[in-house]
Amino acid sequence: MTPKERVFTTLDHREPDHVPIDLGATMETTVHVDEYRLLKEHLGVAVEREVGVKHLTAQFAIVDREVQERIDAQVRGTEPLMPEQPEIRRDGEYLQLTDEFGIDWQRPVEDGLYFDMYRHPLGEASLEEMRAHPFPDPRDPRRYTRLEERLLALAEGGRYPVVFDNSFGNGIFQMCNQLMGYDKFLIALALREKRAFWLLDKIVEMKMELWDEVLTRAGQHIDIVKELDDMGTQLDSFISPDMYRGDVKPRLAKLIAFIKGKAPHVRMMMHSCGSIRRVIPDLIDAGVEILNPVQYTARNMDTAELKAEFGTDLTFWGGGMETQKTLPSGSVQDVIDETRRQLDILMPGGGFVFAQVHTIQWGTPVENVFAMWDTVREYGVYR
């Protein structure tokens, strides 16, 4: 099987010859830039070349094709380009930047790994002030520079399936939290304030504009589209299922219907971390076909139960190894054992693409990372 045949076989809930592996096709299936330098050094792959950054604030690395080939990763991906890189400034002990939405981020100069939000531009804004906010233009042509050329290069003549990852801002729900601040947006939503619903609709409108550009320009070269919205904490969903069904789900369904109307052939992937079990049926009902990442250490996210309950409706893209404890802190044998356990649960019947639960973090032992991939290559065979 070619990689594309392998991936589409499992997306159709049939068993391919081998479990497909994803490294770097999306923001959440990649590696922290500092960790990635160590992985490249271990492989002896062009360590002198500067590591590209897929997501500046989170410091996600762009994975080189040679690295993907060396670990037998089966999927390729890209995302909209940034029209301009934000200026990074120094303020005492912090490096700071303002993103294109007007959100301020900072990271410590010493030993800082990520940028964290410290100012939310719409936290105190009235509805009128929100309407006047300088939102970025999703149709800016610089986002789509050489888009068709990039997609064709990734596909290599149809050999690889290609994911287009919407890294323009964040999810419908999460973007509102980032613009207002989680406390202020959640309170505004609970109080049914008009500005909360205006902002939700504004984000949907901007996403539809972006997907209109992407799919009009090059939809025929895209196999999988990815949206995102972190709806869960470690313990439960951020909002009640009833609130999700009333306020977020209809907007997600509208967005997915728009995408499918533009490109009926694409498969719809949704990223949502945390404990989201109570809203998974709603994701399916809204049109989600692929769920990333399956954070099985969160409450009520037992992998076997999820596979039994939702495995005929969803392809699980991830959930192969958790990245909070075992991968960064376990022994090599711990990693091998847990990877095998997850393969045993998720492989049967197809509907599974292997990736770790989220980005491989800085400080993870290199031998653990390669033990994970070696185990998938050895045991991820359908017999």
Side-chain angles (χ1 to χ4, degrees), residues 39-56:
L39 299 182
K40 289 182 69 175
E41 183 177 351
H42 181 85
L43 288 171
V45 175
V47 293
E48 73 282 354
R49 188 165 64 233
E50 182 60 29
V51 174
V53 179
K54 186 182 285 280
H55 192 286
L56 182 58

Side-chain angles (χ1 to χ4, degrees), residues 99 101-105 116-124 130 135 169-190 195-201 203 207 228-233 237-240 243-244 247-248 272:
D99 70 19
F101 284 84
I103 301 166
D104 287 326
W105 303 74
D116 295 308
M117 293 176 286
Y118 71 93
R119 190 185 73 85
H120 310 275
L122 300 182
E124 304 295 340
M130 283 188 177
F135 288 95
N170 214 299
I172 297 169
F173 172 78
Q174 196 171 2
M175 196 72 237
C176 295
N177 283 294
Q178 292 184 350
L179 283 162
M180 290 184 65
Y182 280 79
D183 54 346
K184 292 182 173 61
F185 176 71
L186 292 174
I187 289 171
L189 191 64
R195 61 186 187 138
F197 297 104
W198 182 89
L199 192 56
L200 284 166
D201 289 334
I203 301 304
K207 284 180 174 291
L228 70 167
D229 219 358
D230 283 342
M231 294 305 308
T233 69
S237 54
F238 275 102
I239 55 179
S240 72
M243 185 176 282
Y244 180 81
D247 300 338
V248 181
S272 189

Side-chain angles (χ1 to χ4, degrees), residues 72-198:
D72 200 25
Q74 307 282 300
V75 192
R76 303 292 183 260
T78 191
E79 57 282 319
L81 303 178
M82 286 289 294
E84 296 178 2
Q85 289 296 324
E87 176 189 357
I88 298 179
R89 54 193 183 270
R90 180 162 180 169
D91 184 4
E93 298 178 355
Y94 291 94
L95 297 176
Q96 298 179 336
L97 65 86
T98 302
D99 70 19
E100 62 179 333
F101 284 84
I103 301 166
D104 287 326
W105 303 74
Q106 64 183 11
R107 68 181 261 191
V109 174
E110 296 294 328
D111 301 322
L113 295 176
Y114 318 95
F115 287 85
D116 295 308
M117 293 176 286
Y118 71 93
R119 190 185 73 85
H120 310 275
L122 300 182
E124 304 295 340
S126 65
L127 178 56
E128 291 71 24
E129 289 168 332
M130 283 188 177
R131 293 180 188 274
H133 181 71
F135 288 95
D137 180 8
R139 295 192 185 274
D140 189 322
R142 292 173 293 178
R143 299 187 194 279
Y144 315 105
T145 302
R146 298 174 42 248
L147 176 59
E148 188 171 26
E149 180 183 339
R150 286 189 283 137
L151 292 168
L152 288 171
L154 290 169
E156 293 188 19
R159 176 172 173 76
Y160 290 98
V162 178
V163 179
F164 194 90
D165 187 356
N166 185 3
S167 60
F168 173 63
N170 214 299
I172 297 169
F173 172 78
Q174 196 171 2
M175 196 72 237
C176 295
N177 283 294
Q178 292 184 350
L179 283 162
M180 290 184 65
Y182 280 79
D183 54 346
K184 292 182 173 61
F185 176 71
L186 292 174
I187 289 171
L189 191 64
L191 294 177
R192 322 308 288 166
E193 294 182 11
K194 289 183 179 179
R195 61 186 187 138
F197 297 104
W198 182 89

Side-chain angles (χ1 to χ4, degrees), residues 255-283:
L255 176 62
I256 294 175
F258 178 82
I259 291 169
K260 287 285 195 171
K262 293 283 295 186
H265 68 281
V266 299
R267 305 296 179 96
M268 187 72 217
M269 182 192 300
M270 184 73 177
H271 165 83
S272 189
C273 287
S275 176
I276 60 167
R277 184 170 185 164
R278 294 200 293 167
V279 299
I280 288 177
D282 299 293
L283 295 176

